[in-house]
Amino acid sequence: GESVGLHLPTLSVQEGDNSIINCAYSNSASDYFIWYKQESGKGPQFIIDIRSNMDKRQGQRVTVLLNKTVKHLSLQIAATQPGDSAVYFCAEIVNSGYSTLTFGKGTMLLVSP
Amino acid sequence: DTEVTQTPKHLVMGMTNKKSLKCEQHMGHRAMYWYKQKAKKPPELMFVYSYEKLSINESVPSRFSPECPNSSLLNLHLHALQPEDSALYLCASSLVPHQETQYFGPGTRLLVL
């Protein structure tokens, strides 16, 4: 199930389950979104991105869905594996001027064998 | 190849020391970034270099001094740091500034005593 800790929301799933990690973004002008995976002691690793002219994009075992109406982004991981255990960050950027990448708070995914 | 390298991996320094963090990428990216990340928090942007010129300084204290010797290298010079500066320092690069996917290095874990 999903729980909200003091600092980092946590999603606990069983190996083989599908996982859905959600992200609400704040800037309606954001038009490019990225999901990063960060394992303990490592830097964020690019997983998948999506531009605002799309509402769905699929990669290997991952799918990103974008709902601009409610400013919501989700990352779906199929057949979750223990190696998927990490903190997942969504990030948004506005495609104009000197806009910077803005990260969401992050969600910790824990996968039990 | 989407590799950004950072050295050292770990650094312990006293408040009177001077040290430098190094970052390197050979992807032909023309934008490089420094981020600071505290435990269980998202990365926070510190500096942006665009075509080897400093384009953004997010009100970072002067005890942090960035340097971009060429398009492949980015340094962060540290002097008179405080214990609260202890964090993971991440370097990232992107093909062009701001509006493209940023690729992160593994980070330098810094402890200030």
Side-chain angles (χ1 to χ4, degrees):
Chain A
E2 183 171 337
S3 64
V4 176
L6 285 176
H7 296 292
L8 206 60
T10 301
L11 177 64
S12 298
V13 301
Q14 293 288 118
E15 182 177 2
D17 287 352
N18 296 331
S19 302
I20 300 177
I21 300 171
N22 296 304
C23 178
Y25 64 93
S26 55
N27 191 342
S28 56
S30 293
D31 56 5
Y32 180 48
F33 304 88
I34 307 168
W35 279 101
Y36 286 96
K37 171 187 180 183
Q38 188 173 24
E39 297 175 87
S40 180
K42 297 184 179 180
Q45 176 190 0
F46 171 83
I47 302 174
I48 193 168
D49 58 0
I50 189 168
R51 297 202 179 267
S52 60
N53 60 352
M54 304 173 71
D55 53 20
K56 180 178 180 179
R57 190 160 189 227
Q58 288 185 288
Q60 187 178 12
R61 280 203 307 120
V62 294
T63 301
V64 55
L65 299 178
L66 175 62
N67 185 330
K68 294 181 288 294
T69 303
V70 295
K71 293 191 284 189
H72 184 266
L73 195 65
S74 68
L75 177 71
Q76 300 178 0
I77 305 174
T80 315
Q81 302 165 0
D84 295 326
S85 295
V87 177
Y88 290 80
F89 291 102
C90 64
E92 61 187 289
I93 193 165
V94 177
N95 187 18
S96 66
Y98 286 95
S99 59
T100 56
L101 198 61
T102 301
F103 282 84
K105 291 189 190 318
T107 296
M108 178 173 288
L109 177 65
L110 296 175
V111 183
S112 307
Chain B
D1 181 15
T2 55
E3 187 177 29
V4 177
T5 59
Q6 289 186 244
T7 56
K9 289 192 185 311
H10 303 276
L11 180 61
V12 180
M13 59 188 291
M15 289 189 284
T16 58
N17 292 158
K18 284 186 182 180
K19 297 285 184 184
S20 296
L21 310 185
K22 297 187 182 301
C23 174
E24 191 166 0
Q25 56 86 15
H26 294 288
M27 297 178 279
H29 289 181
R30 303 309 302 274
M32 296 185 78
Y33 311 80
W34 279 115
Y35 287 84
K36 174 183 178 180
Q37 187 179 27
K38 293 287 226 179
K40 297 189 177 182
K41 297 288 188 182
E44 297 175 358
L45 183 65
M46 299 174 72
F47 302 104
V48 180
Y49 271 83
S50 173
Y51 299 93
E52 296 92 71
K53 289 187 173 19
L54 183 65
S55 64
I56 292 180
N57 175 342
E58 291 284 358
S59 302
V60 180
S62 59
R63 57 187 184 267
F64 295 91
S65 175
E67 178 197 18
C68 190
N70 59 54
S71 61
S72 299
L73 294 173
L74 186 66
N75 299 323
L76 186 63
H77 303 298
L78 314 173
H79 175 52
L81 294 194
Q82 303 297 309
E84 59 264 28
D85 295 322
S86 299
L88 181 68
Y89 287 85
L90 293 162
C91 173
S93 70
S94 63
L95 185 61
V96 295
H98 308 296
Q99 294 151 28
E100 291 290 333
T101 302
Q102 293 180 25
Y103 295 93
F104 285 81
T108 293
R109 177 74 60 189
L110 174 66
L111 177 62
V112 182
L113 300 176

